[in-house]
Amino acid sequence: MSEAMRRSIEASMPWLVVVGLLVIWQASVVLLNVPSFVLPAPTEIWAALLQYRGPIFQHATYTMISTMAGFGLGIVVGLLIGIMIGSSRLVYAGLYPVLIGFNSVPKVALVPIIVLWLGIGQPTAIATAFLLCFFPIAVNVATGLATVEPEMEDVLRSLGASRLDLIRKIGLPRAMPYFFASLKVAITLAFVGTVIAETIASNKGIGYLMIQASSQFRVALMFAGVGVIAVLGIATYAIFAAIEKRMTGWAMRGKR
Amino acid sequence: MEDFVTLDNVALRYGGAKGTLALSGADLKIRKGEFAAVVGPSGCGKSSLMKLMTGLQPPTEGAIHVDGAPVSGPLSITGMAFQNPSLLPWRTLLQNVMLPLEIVRPHRHQLASRKEEYLAKARGLLKTVGLAEFEEKHPWMLSGGMQQRANLCRSLIHDPSLLMLDEPFGALDAFTREELWGVLQDIWLEKQFTTILVTHDLREAVFLADVVFVMSARPGRVIATHRVDLPRKRTLETTFDPKFIDIVHQIRNQIAQIREDSKAA
Ligand SMILES: Nc1ncnc2c1ncn2[C@@H]1O[C@H](COP(=O)(O)OP(=O)(O)OP(=O)(O)O)[C@@H](O)[C@H]1O
Ligand SMILES: [Mg+2]
């Protein structure tokens, strides 16, 4: 098999798997006569998607905005905390255990508290997205900073570099691959956060749409909602994977 | 001539009171503008000696003076090429060579206004070591020897008045190495900075240096000092001079003796 052919097969594998799963799904629903309020066939879901495309688009946009706002906050705060933890042993000793403890709390449990403070609506969704996504960013940036090779630091220190110089010239560039890798994880978590908050405390967004559809027994519409979330998640992941590849090619030694 | 670098009875112990004693009772004097070489068996503390003199590592005992002042921390008048090239992988060769200019005063404040001049200087250095066409490459695209040569350029870019080289030519083939001896000698003859070279290659030490210090096995100290008064500028012909060969022989015998002794002990 030629190299080009193998690569194109490799690239089309995910699509083949998806199409295969859909075909099996459709066939089993039809053959086993599964009622559509239990499991709608892909064709029904597609029909629901087309029928409600207007509201779905609106709600999806709303979800997307909340997610991006929470994610943006997560990047800022995650970077700041990561830099502080990664560049100071004292902050590390004080903050790291607290962060680990915080991260082990299921965030769903916090949503009612957030609602109490921020009310029902977008701020709650943004806050939940933020809470879920800042942690991996902070931990990754801190790891990148804390694992700088002492030899590299010696090169700068021997020239009289200050702590700030070390962070700017070595720590941060060195932490960038870790940072971008964490963005892929964080954006997915931000989606999870937004949708969770929307299902609990919102009157807009995909999460809300699904709760509505559920109470009205519109099962196909619920699945359409799940599909939309999945597509949004994959798309944003792909965007950040592409950015990562552009920004940190040196870390891959040009392998990819 | 005055002494530019002095070590008085210096000891260095790594990792607390029970750690490795790398150096003990090391004495050494290097005059201003002199080219000194340090040789000795592997693990005797040569790289540690360099770290002490750059101020990266405080001595456990004893005193170190550079240019009349006690060393209490890194000095910006030093340029150092470490044994391990440690070029920054996210920077191109040219950017790596420019790095000291972003740190050392006054250059760091003149980066924008003197950019062209600095770039020309970095390119010039890369050219003298034969890396002109690789300036836009990243370090991991280069061989170990090429990285070492870039490392040498980086240590020279800010015109240090004290240059320290820790086995800068270790990963090079014999021909490139001898070529770079010439290059380094030319730069040194032109700028006359004080230089300390650590090397395993005794011919390299004698070829380049005015004075060669021989170190004992660990814990290291200076046990012999050889003055090399061969005329400058030295050429490869010099290496066939009986006087040259004689000094190399003396040092070789001394190191062989040290190795014997430390094996017996
Ligand atoms: N960071 C460190 N922590 C603990 N021990 C160290 C450290 N660096 C060096 N040593 C020890 O100090 C001794 C001297 O090491 P050094 O690197 O100075 O030797 P060297 O003469 O440069 O050897 P080589 O010629 O092989 O480069 C060695 O025994 C080594 O194990
Ligand atoms: Mg060494």
Side-chain angles (χ1 to χ4, degrees), chain B residues 219-246:
Chain B
R221 64 195 167 79
V222 177
I223 51 164
T225 306
H226 296 263
R227 294 246 149 230
V228 185
D229 40 9
L230 295 166
R232 305 268 183 185
K233 151 187 187 178
R234 297 173 193 160
T235 63
L236 282 184
E237 284 307 311
T238 315
T239 61
F240 302 107
D241 188 322
K243 222 165 146 191
F244 179 96
I245 296 171
D246 183 47

Coordinates of all heavy atoms in Angstrom, one line a residue, chain B residues 219-246:
Chain B
P219 N 38.1 14.3 45.2 CA 37.8 15.7 45.1 C 38.9 16.5 44.4 O 40.1 16.5 44.8 CB 37.6 16.2 46.5 CG 38.4 15.2 47.3 CD 38.4 13.9 46.6
G220 N 38.5 17.3 43.4 CA 39.5 18.0 42.5 C 40.2 19.2 43.1 O 39.6 19.9 43.9
R221 N 41.5 19.3 42.8 CA 42.2 20.5 43.1 C 43.3 20.6 42.1 O 43.6 19.6 41.4 CB 42.8 20.5 44.5 CG 43.8 19.4 44.7 CD 44.1 19.2 46.2 NE 44.8 17.9 46.3 CZ 46.2 17.8 46.1 NH1 46.9 18.9 45.8 NH2 46.7 16.6 46.2
V222 N 43.9 21.8 41.9 CA 44.9 22.0 40.9 C 46.3 21.4 41.4 O 46.8 21.8 42.5 CB 45.1 23.5 40.6 CG1 46.2 23.7 39.5 CG2 43.8 24.0 40.1
I223 N 46.8 20.4 40.7 CA 48.1 19.8 41.2 C 49.3 20.2 40.4 O 50.4 20.0 40.8 CB 48.0 18.3 41.3 CG1 47.5 17.7 40.0 CG2 47.1 17.8 42.5 CD1 47.8 16.2 39.9
A224 N 49.0 20.8 39.2 CA 50.2 21.2 38.4 C 49.8 22.3 37.5 O 48.7 22.4 37.1 CB 50.7 20.0 37.6
T225 N 50.7 23.2 37.2 CA 50.5 24.3 36.3 C 51.6 24.3 35.3 O 52.8 24.3 35.6 CB 50.5 25.7 37.1 OG1 49.6 25.6 38.2 CG2 50.2 26.8 36.2
H226 N 51.2 24.3 34.0 CA 52.2 24.3 32.9 C 52.1 25.6 32.2 O 51.0 25.9 31.7 CB 51.9 23.1 32.0 CG 52.1 21.8 32.6 ND1 53.3 21.1 32.5 CD2 51.3 21.1 33.3 CE1 53.2 20.0 33.2 NE2 52.0 19.9 33.7
R227 N 53.2 26.3 32.0 CA 53.2 27.5 31.2 C 53.5 27.1 29.8 O 54.5 26.3 29.6 CB 54.2 28.6 31.7 CG 53.8 29.1 33.0 CD 53.5 30.6 32.9 NE 52.6 30.9 34.0 CZ 51.4 31.6 33.7 NH1 51.2 32.0 32.5 NH2 50.6 31.9 34.7
V228 N 52.7 27.5 28.8 CA 53.0 27.2 27.4 C 53.5 28.5 26.8 O 52.8 29.4 26.4 CB 51.7 26.7 26.7 CG1 52.1 26.3 25.3 CG2 51.1 25.6 27.5
D229 N 54.9 28.6 26.6 CA 55.3 29.8 26.0 C 55.7 29.6 24.5 O 56.8 29.9 24.1 CB 56.4 30.5 26.8 CG 57.4 29.5 27.3 OD1 57.3 28.4 26.9 OD2 58.3 29.9 28.2
L230 N 54.8 29.0 23.8 CA 55.0 28.9 22.3 C 54.5 30.2 21.7 O 53.5 30.8 22.2 CB 54.2 27.7 21.8 CG 54.6 26.3 22.3 CD1 53.6 25.3 22.0 CD2 55.9 25.9 21.7
P231 N 55.2 30.6 20.7 CA 54.8 31.9 20.1 C 53.4 31.9 19.4 O 52.9 30.8 19.0 CB 55.9 32.1 19.0 CG 56.4 30.8 18.7 CD 56.3 30.0 19.9
R232 N 52.7 33.0 19.5 CA 51.4 33.2 18.8 C 51.8 33.8 17.5 O 52.8 34.6 17.4 CB 50.5 34.1 19.5 CG 50.2 33.6 21.0 CD 49.0 32.8 21.0 NE 48.7 32.4 22.4 CZ 47.8 31.5 22.7 NH1 47.0 31.0 21.8 NH2 47.5 31.2 24.0
K233 N 51.0 33.7 16.5 CA 49.8 32.9 16.4 C 50.2 31.5 16.1 O 51.0 31.3 15.2 CB 48.9 33.6 15.4 CG 48.0 32.8 14.6 CD 47.3 33.6 13.5 CE 46.2 32.8 12.9 NZ 45.5 33.5 11.8
R234 N 49.6 30.6 16.8 CA 50.0 29.2 16.6 C 49.3 28.6 15.4 O 48.1 29.0 15.2 CB 49.7 28.4 17.9 CG 50.6 28.9 19.0 CD 50.2 28.2 20.3 NE 50.8 28.9 21.4 CZ 50.4 28.9 22.7 NH1 49.4 28.1 23.0 NH2 51.0 29.5 23.6
T235 N 49.9 27.7 14.7 CA 49.2 27.0 13.6 C 49.3 25.5 13.8 O 49.9 25.1 14.8 CB 49.9 27.4 12.3 OG1 51.3 26.9 12.3 CG2 50.0 28.9 12.0
L236 N 48.8 24.8 12.9 CA 48.8 23.3 13.0 C 50.3 22.9 13.0 O 50.6 21.8 13.5 CB 48.0 22.7 12.0 CG 46.5 22.7 12.2 CD1 45.8 21.9 11.2 CD2 46.2 22.1 13.6
E237 N 51.2 23.6 12.4 CA 52.6 23.3 12.4 C 53.1 23.3 13.8 O 53.9 22.4 14.1 CB 53.4 24.4 11.6 CG 53.2 24.2 10.1 CD 53.6 22.8 9.6 OE1 54.6 22.3 10.0 OE2 52.8 22.3 8.8
T238 N 52.6 24.2 14.6 CA 53.0 24.2 16.0 C 52.9 22.9 16.7 O 53.7 22.5 17.6 CB 52.2 25.3 16.8 OG1 52.1 26.5 16.0 CG2 52.8 25.6 18.1
T239 N 51.8 22.2 16.3 CA 51.6 20.9 17.0 C 52.6 19.8 16.7 O 52.6 18.8 17.4 CB 50.2 20.3 16.6 OG1 50.2 20.1 15.2 CG2 49.1 21.3 17.0
F240 N 53.5 20.1 15.8 CA 54.6 19.2 15.5 C 55.9 19.7 16.1 O 56.9 19.0 16.0 CB 54.7 18.9 14.0 CG 53.5 18.4 13.4 CD1 52.7 19.2 12.6 CD2 53.1 17.1 13.6 CE1 51.5 18.7 12.0 CE2 51.9 16.6 13.1 CZ 51.1 17.4 12.3
D241 N 55.9 20.9 16.7 CA 57.0 21.4 17.4 C 57.4 20.5 18.5 O 56.6 20.1 19.3 CB 56.6 22.8 17.8 CG 57.8 23.6 18.4 OD1 58.7 23.0 19.1 OD2 57.8 24.8 18.2
P242 N 58.7 20.2 18.7 CA 59.1 19.3 19.8 C 58.7 19.8 21.1 O 58.4 19.1 22.0 CB 60.6 19.2 19.7 CG 60.9 19.6 18.3 CD 59.8 20.5 17.8
K243 N 58.7 21.1 21.3 CA 58.4 21.7 22.6 C 56.9 21.5 22.9 O 56.6 21.2 24.0 CB 58.6 23.3 22.5 CG 59.3 23.9 23.7 CD 59.8 25.3 23.3 CE 59.7 26.2 24.5 NZ 59.9 27.6 24.1
F244 N 56.1 21.6 21.9 CA 54.6 21.4 22.0 C 54.4 19.9 22.4 O 53.8 19.6 23.4 CB 54.0 21.6 20.6 CG 52.5 21.4 20.6 CD1 51.6 22.4 20.8 CD2 52.0 20.1 20.4 CE1 50.2 22.2 20.8 CE2 50.6 19.9 20.4 CZ 49.7 20.9 20.6
I245 N 55.1 19.0 21.7 CA 54.9 17.6 22.0 C 55.4 17.3 23.4 O 54.8 16.5 24.1 CB 55.7 16.8 20.9 CG1 55.0 17.0 19.5 CG2 55.6 15.3 21.3 CD1 55.8 16.5 18.4
D246 N 56.5 17.9 23.8 CA 57.0 17.7 25.1 C 56.0 18.0 26.2 O 55.8 17.3 27.2 CB 58.3 18.5 25.3 CG 59.0 18.2 26.6 OD1 59.1 17.0 26.9 OD2 59.3 19.2 27.3

